[in-house]
Amino acid sequence: MRNETAASLCCAASSLTCGFLLFKISGLKTACRNGWNLINGRCFKYVPSRMTWAKAERNCISMGGNLASVHSSEDYYDIQSLIRRVTHELKETWIGGSDAAEEGNWSWSDGTLMTFTNWCPGEPNNAGRGQHCMQMNHSGEKCWDDYGCTVKQPSVCVSKN
């Protein structure tokens, strides 16, 4: 259904029903499942359990999501705020970036395009030729770092619903 058609249908509906219908059609999200937090139209969940990157990704998938993709500085700061709210600090945390499939070609595990980056200076550096997974809140600058995927640390998941 096109938005114009939906808008014309709203003329006959109550304003509350109309608002809900237009919101549903536009795809914008207003709420998340219990334990998830709405950030810029997507639902995020901080997972404090320390896991490897692969296990953290499987855990996110089991909850209907993926490790978090970050598409803007606003997303990044809002995810940091979520972590700070839960932990009272900015811990290094897994997010969904990886170049395991092809060295130097970073992609998000949820399949979205990586159009925004927030790498720390000198990163990604693939130190020791074994850093293929992305962590956030690295160093004093609290930016992104490529890191060894077998290290166990907390994670952030994202879900569209």
Side-chain angles (χ1 to χ4, degrees), residues 51-53 67 93-95 133-134 147-149 151 153-156:
M51 299 176 234
T52 65
W53 189 94
L67 281 170
T93 303
W94 289 130
I95 54 177
C133 295
M134 185 184 291
Y147 205 49
C149 301
V151 174
Q153 55 188 11
S155 55
V156 175

Side-chain angles (χ1 to χ4, degrees), residues 40 42 44 67-76 79 108 110-117 144 158 160:
N40 302 325
R42 298 185 297 156
F44 290 83
L67 281 170
S69 55
V70 182
H71 300 288
S72 67
S73 57
E74 183 181 5
D75 275 356
Y76 193 67
I79 294 166
W108 294 117
D110 66 5
T112 58
L113 292 177
M114 189 174 290
T115 55
F116 167 80
T117 60
W144 296 354
V158 66
K160 291 177 185 164

Side-chain angles (χ1 to χ4, degrees), residues 7 11 57:
C11 293
E57 172 68 6

Side-chain angles (χ1 to χ4, degrees), residues 93-143:
T93 303
W94 289 130
I95 54 177
S98 174
D99 75 342
E102 181 183 350
E103 176 58 36
N105 186 11
W106 287 85
S107 60
W108 294 117
S109 62
D110 66 5
T112 58
L113 292 177
M114 189 174 290
T115 55
F116 167 80
T117 60
N118 190 35
W119 292 109
C120 294
E123 301 295 342
N125 62 7
N126 196 28
R129 298 182 187 223
Q131 295 185 331
H132 302 292
C133 295
M134 185 184 291
Q135 66 174 350
M136 64 181 285
N137 294 328
H138 179 67
S139 77
E141 296 185 41
K142 302 302 180 194
C143 40

Side-chain angles (χ1 to χ4, degrees), residues 20 23-24 26-45 158-161:
F20 177 75
F23 220 60
K24 197 74 169 145
S26 71
L28 295 176
K29 190 146 203 46
T30 59
C32 298
R33 293 173 281 166
N34 192 29
W36 292 74
N37 300 272
L38 185 64
I39 297 174
N40 302 325
R42 298 185 297 156
C43 297
F44 290 83
K45 181 178 180 105
V158 66
S159 174
K160 291 177 185 164
N161 52 15

